[in-house]
Amino acid sequence: MVDVSQHELVPDHTVVDDEEIEDVLEEYDIKKTDLPKLQRLDPAAPDEASVGDVVRVTRDSRTTDQAVVYRLVVD
Amino acid sequence: MTRADVSDDVEAVVEDTDLPRRLKDEVYDTVEQRGLTVDEADDVARAVESRYLDTRVDPLDPVGTVSAQSIGEPGTQMTMNTFHYAGVAEIDVTQGLPRLIELVDARKTPDTPMMTVHLDDEYATDREKAHEVVWNIEATRILALGDISTNVADMLVQIDLNDETLMERWPTVSRTEDVADEIAETIESNLGVKTRRSGTVIEFGPEEPSYRDLLQLVEELREIVFKGIEEINRVVIRKEETDDGEEFVLYTEGSAFGDVLGIEGVDASRTTCNNIHEIKSELGIEAARETLINETMHTLEEQGLDDVNIRHLMLVADIMTNRGEIESIGRHGISGNKQSVLARAAFEVTVNHLLDAAIHGEIDALDGVTENVIVGKPIKLGTGDVDLRMGAKQD
């Protein structure tokens, strides 16, 4: 089986803890469901991610070196 | 994070600003090069910060509209002709406006699917090894392997396999007879006939003598894929310059991204494909977003329209991948899923939307732009969304 995370197009995906989620939601003044979504069966989703978790995606960005975005895991 | 080349004070000053990492690093470099004092460094950092904040998008700016215009205008200058041999190898790729439309429409399969296959270490430098991978990818059908003749008198199909081709395409098997056996087996399981083999000649015929069945068998025989991946009709091998030397890169006509990633010798960390749906199902939504940006930018660049700011394309890709799956721009995707009835009705198939909304008793909150234009209220963008009121008290 091919390790998806090794591909150069796939950025880092990590599950974040509740505390960090709160910080993020507060910073953007949004609800959790307003976040972009990530399907639970997405090949790049971390194995331990379950529905309702928030995943931090650290991209190599073209405009800043690194861009951090959050996605809510959905079914 | 501490930096060795600047003092703690300078670092504290710069880290205190609202700048992104890259700009902070540039400030550090400048401070070090010019040998600035902490106060001067502070001035520089503040000046950079204020310029940076000025260039940011203002709240309530209609970024979507600006993106639409910024991509739409160059779009008018793009070529209409679909096919062209792209700069890379002799592979036919859809370019220009048709390709751009294909991308934002999120078609299930592009008009001209293709892959760029990078190879692992020794496969990338050795032509023989690279060819091994080529034969594992490119679909090999019977016409490439030998001559077919139909013997109507005896009701037989005869295949005279070409020894050289066999050795070339099955480099790991030493005897041509073994390859011929393998081919005969494939034919038997695919066509449900008994075959006879002598040397590298394979014979078979229909169970009952029937002219039509015989021709039918030949037709089906031509379709059988003996080696490689069915979807891939052609592979072009090219030597390319890299940072450290040269390597062989394969370009394929047709795509089967998932299959190719599993083939030995294929570098599964760099190989890409131009079908965003295949990328999505193999590598996930983030990789699909990245590919969307790359492909749209590449399409524009090819047409000499490289002055479109990448941020517009990033916004489009962000919206298209926002729900964790790829959505098209248009009636069946983003525009069709809008909350507001009036906004949907204004886009396409007006009557259907209004009728459905009436039947279901939908409510329009009049939050968006289109709705407010229709009812003649100020739109909630820019100054339109700011309420100013005179204070009752002075404070």
Side-chain angles (χ1 to χ4, degrees):
Chain A
M1 193 47 210
V2 180
D3 184 3
V4 168
S5 63
Q6 293 304 308
H7 200 284
E8 59 185 17
L9 288 174
V10 182
D12 264 1
H13 291 59
T14 33
V15 178
V16 297
D17 52 32
D18 290 345
E19 207 174 306
E20 192 176 343
I21 299 176
E22 287 304 317
D23 291 347
V24 172
L25 297 185
E26 199 175 315
E27 185 187 344
Y28 293 107
D29 189 17
I30 53 171
K31 295 196 296 285
K32 202 158 129 182
T33 48
D34 294 333
L35 289 169
K37 312 294 187 295
L38 179 74
Q39 289 175 339
R40 192 174 54 84
L41 295 176
D42 192 279
D47 293 336
E48 68 272 21
S50 54
V51 174
D53 283 349
V54 173
V55 168
R56 186 197 317 113
V57 178
T58 316
R59 300 171 182 153
D60 290 332
S61 168
R62 292 168 178 75
T63 49
T64 67
D65 281 346
Q66 294 229 303
V68 177
V69 292
Y70 296 83
R71 282 183 183 266
L72 175 69
V73 181
V74 294
D75 241 340
Chain B
M1 194 176 77
T2 49
R3 292 178 56 103
D5 48 355
V6 290
S7 70
D8 286 352
D9 289 342
V10 170
E11 194 173 327
V13 167
V14 176
E15 289 302 323
D16 195 37
T17 59
D18 251 344
L19 295 172
R21 185 79 261 144
R22 179 149 67 190
L23 288 180
K24 280 180 185 166
D25 285 342
E26 270 187 53
V27 172
Y28 285 133
D29 289 345
T30 312
V31 169
E32 197 211 343
Q33 267 173 30
R34 308 278 172 98
L36 300 183
T37 66
V38 176
D39 280 347
E40 285 166 334
D42 188 36
D43 286 346
V44 170
R46 297 279 157 228
V48 173
E49 185 186 23
S50 89
R51 278 290 287 155
Y52 169 70
L53 294 179
D54 278 350
T55 59
R56 289 214 297 205
V57 174
D58 292 321
L60 302 172
D61 241 19
V63 283
T65 310
V66 173
S67 283
Q69 290 173 338
S70 306
I71 299 169
E73 194 279 335
T76 62
Q77 301 170 38
M78 296 178 95
T79 50
M80 306 292 259
N81 66 338
T82 322
F83 287 100
H84 235 295
Y85 291 103
V88 198
E90 306 84 59
I91 293 218
D92 230 355
V93 203
T94 311
Q95 290 184 308
L97 199 57
R99 176 66 182 147
L100 198 63
I101 292 173
E102 190 172 275
L103 285 165
V104 295
D105 273 356
R107 300 259 171 82
K108 277 283 174 262
T109 44
D111 225 12
T112 52
M114 70 158 290
M115 291 184 294
T116 308
V117 182
H118 289 270
L119 301 172
D120 275 333
D121 316 328
E122 74 263 25
Y123 290 91
T125 45
D126 181 353
R127 189 178 277 273
E128 298 273 304
K129 282 275 199 185
H131 262 288
E132 242 174 71
V133 182
V134 171
W135 300 131
N136 280 328
I137 296 178
E138 192 177 291
T140 299
R141 295 198 169 78
I142 200 70
L143 284 178
L145 296 174
D147 302 317
I148 311 175
S149 51
T150 42
N151 183 337
V152 183
D154 300 330
M155 282 293 158
L156 282 178
V157 183
Q158 285 178 319
I159 311 162
D160 186 5
L161 297 168
N162 183 326
D163 284 9
E164 277 170 37
T165 324
L166 293 189
M167 293 316 289
E168 187 189 32
R169 301 218 176 190
W170 276 267
T172 47
V173 185
S174 52
R175 292 175 57 233
T176 48
E177 282 78 11
D178 294 342
V179 182
D181 272 337
E182 199 184 314
I183 291 173
E185 261 170 47
T186 317
I187 294 175
E188 284 186 10
S189 66
N190 274 279
L191 300 183
V193 292
K194 284 262 171 275
T195 60
R196 277 188 305 279
R197 180 181 72 79
S198 58
T200 53
V201 178
I202 299 172
E203 288 185 332
F204 62 91
E207 275 174 34
E208 301 288 319
S210 152
Y211 188 60
R212 179 191 288 191
D213 285 355
L214 187 71
L215 291 184
Q216 182 74 34
L217 282 179
V218 177
E219 281 300 311
E220 285 171 22
L221 176 66
R222 285 171 203 251
E223 298 298 315
I224 299 175
V225 174
F226 291 95
K227 199 171 187 208
I229 300 165
E230 194 177 350
E231 286 86 358
I232 294 162
N233 296 314
R234 218 158 61 88
V235 177
V236 173
I237 186 165
R238 252 171 62 106
K239 197 173 213 170
E240 279 180 10
E241 305 269 327
T242 56
D243 294 338
D244 35 32
E246 289 175 325
E247 66 167 1
F248 288 108
V249 181
L250 313 181
Y251 294 90
T252 70
E253 215 173 271
S255 77
F257 192 55
D259 295 343
V260 165
L261 288 185
I263 288 178
E264 200 196 324
V266 172
D267 184 346
S269 68
R270 290 185 298 153
T271 295
T272 59
C273 135
N274 72 349
N275 183 345
I276 43 176
H277 291 277
E278 277 187 274
I279 298 273
K280 156 78 175 65
S281 64
E282 296 303 323
L283 300 179
I285 195 71
E286 280 292 327
R289 172 188 173 275
E290 205 65 19
T291 308
L292 251 175
I293 301 171
N294 288 340
E295 289 284 324
T296 39
M297 195 65 214
H298 184 74
T299 307
L300 290 167
E301 275 168 359
E302 204 99 78
Q303 303 277 316
L305 302 169
D306 51 349
D307 45 1
V308 176
N309 195 292
I310 192 91
R311 289 171 180 81
H312 301 308
L313 304 175
M314 286 165 70
L315 181 70
V316 170
D318 274 337
I319 295 295
M320 288 180 69
T321 56
N322 188 46
R323 293 190 179 201
E325 57 192 355
I326 298 167
E327 279 184 295
S328 63
I329 309 268
R331 195 193 333 163
H332 302 291
I334 315 277
S335 303
N337 289 328
K338 279 184 184 166
Q339 282 261 286
S340 161
V341 189
L342 292 176
R344 271 182 282 131
F347 185 61
E348 270 172 5
V349 283
T350 310
V351 178
N352 296 4
H353 280 301
L354 293 179
L355 190 61
D356 285 348
I359 292 170
H360 295 116
E362 277 183 52
I363 292 170
D364 198 315
L366 300 184
D367 285 330
V369 176
T370 323
E371 305 91 287
N372 284 301
V373 172
I374 293 174
V375 300
K377 288 204 315 172
I379 56 171
K380 295 190 170 176
L381 277 179
T383 52
D385 196 44
V386 181
D387 285 330
L388 289 183
R389 228 168 261 140
M390 212 178 309
K393 285 186 301 204
Q394 216 175 13
D395 51 17

